[in-house]
Amino acid sequence: QVQLVESGGGLVQAGGSLRLSCAASGRTFSTYAMAWLRQAPGKEREFVAAISWRGGSTSYADSVKGRFTISRDNAKNTLYLQMNSLKSEDTAVYYCAAESTPSIRGRYDYWGQGTQVTVSS
């Protein structure tokens, strides 16, 4: 069982930066692939980025490539999302998710409650 708590969201101007964090409970965090997803008002939840258990493999949505960086610190049981050059279309609730496998498969077993990111233009 893994519990996930996101933080770091807020209001930022277009072109600015934010770093999201996801604190995980449980000793199995380091064995799970992790991901960030987001949901904008009136839209479906969409994939943002994912990282394998040791961080050796990452994956990004085309819309955030070159702007966002996913990383993890297994010693701290924490997942990060560094978001640079933010655009108004990045406005959404951002969710941290965990897969019960070491590699990225896109099937999520645990979710956080989400953190709001609002980008003003």
Side-chain angles (χ1 to χ4, degrees):
Q1 188 79 6
V2 176
Q3 292 184 322
L4 305 170
V5 179
E6 302 96 334
S7 61
L11 175 64
V12 63
Q13 288 190 330
S17 298
L18 278 176
R19 188 174 83 153
L20 305 183
S21 298
C22 173
S25 65
R27 288 178 282 181
T28 52
F29 171 80
S30 62
T31 65
Y32 287 177
M34 300 292 297
W36 290 97
L37 297 95
R38 68 186 181 187
Q39 187 167 19
K43 294 189 176 182
E44 297 282 320
R45 189 173 297 185
E46 65 175 2
F47 170 78
V48 176
I51 188 167
S52 60
W53 66 304
R54 289 184 181 175
S57 178
T58 58
S59 177
Y60 294 92
D62 288 343
S63 59
V64 306
K65 274 181 186 174
R67 300 189 299 122
F68 290 10
T69 302
I70 189 170
S71 62
R72 65 190 297 162
D73 186 335
N74 287 344
K76 295 182 178 179
N77 274 15
T78 303
L79 176 73
Y80 302 101
L81 184 68
Q82 178 66 44
M83 305 186 295
N84 299 328
S85 303
L86 282 161
K87 306 175 181 179
S88 57
E89 51 263 45
D90 295 319
T91 295
V93 176
Y94 283 71
Y95 297 91
C96 168
E99 305 194 45
S100 298
T101 60
S103 54
I104 299 167
R105 300 200 175 184
R107 295 194 289 270
Y108 310 109
D109 300 293
Y110 304 101
W111 293 85
Q113 83 290 348
T115 185
Q116 176 70 48
V117 171
T118 303
V119 183
S120 63
S121 56

